[in-house]
Amino acid sequence: FSLGDFIISLTRNGKVVSLEVREFSRFLNDMGYDFSLIRKNTENLSLIVKPTKEILFIGVGLNNSSGIKQIPVANIPMQCIKH
């Protein structure tokens, strides 16, 4: 399914298997990050998926010298995910 510029692929059990962010550089710039610096070392990016009882948090992890910064992409109510 899609949420604006975000396309999220789930299994039937609600497991996130892929995340596509359209215009990712604009998204990061809007969040206050300089994409030109991030693009040089994309190994520092990761997909973060944290399920709880009520929501599924999906975000992008940006590993830098001060640790991993979590950039939120979506909080999906678990009732919206097919089981």
Side-chain angles (χ1 to χ4, degrees):
F1 63 94
S2 63
L3 300 166
D5 287 336
F6 306 101
I7 300 171
I8 303 165
S9 299
L10 304 172
T11 65
R12 290 181 189 250
N13 295 326
K15 181 179 177 183
V16 175
V17 293
S18 72
L19 170 67
E20 178 183 346
V21 182
R22 295 184 194 134
E23 299 189 42
F24 186 63
S25 59
R26 182 180 53 83
F27 169 73
L28 285 179
N29 286 332
D30 289 348
M31 297 297 286
Y33 297 94
D34 184 357
F35 181 71
S36 63
L37 298 175
I38 295 168
R39 181 178 52 194
K40 294 176 184 174
N41 195 0
T42 57
E43 293 87 34
N44 289 336
L45 295 176
S46 61
L47 175 63
I48 300 172
V49 179
K50 290 185 180 179
T52 67
K53 280 181 135 179
E54 297 176 5
I55 65 163
L56 177 65
F57 171 85
I58 300 174
V60 175
L62 175 58
N63 191 5
N64 59 28
S65 60
S66 61
I68 296 177
K69 173 72 175 172
Q70 293 183 6
I71 303 169
V73 171
N75 285 307
I76 305 167
M78 289 303 241
Q79 66 220 30
C80 294
I81 300 172
K82 295 181 182 178
H83 292 283

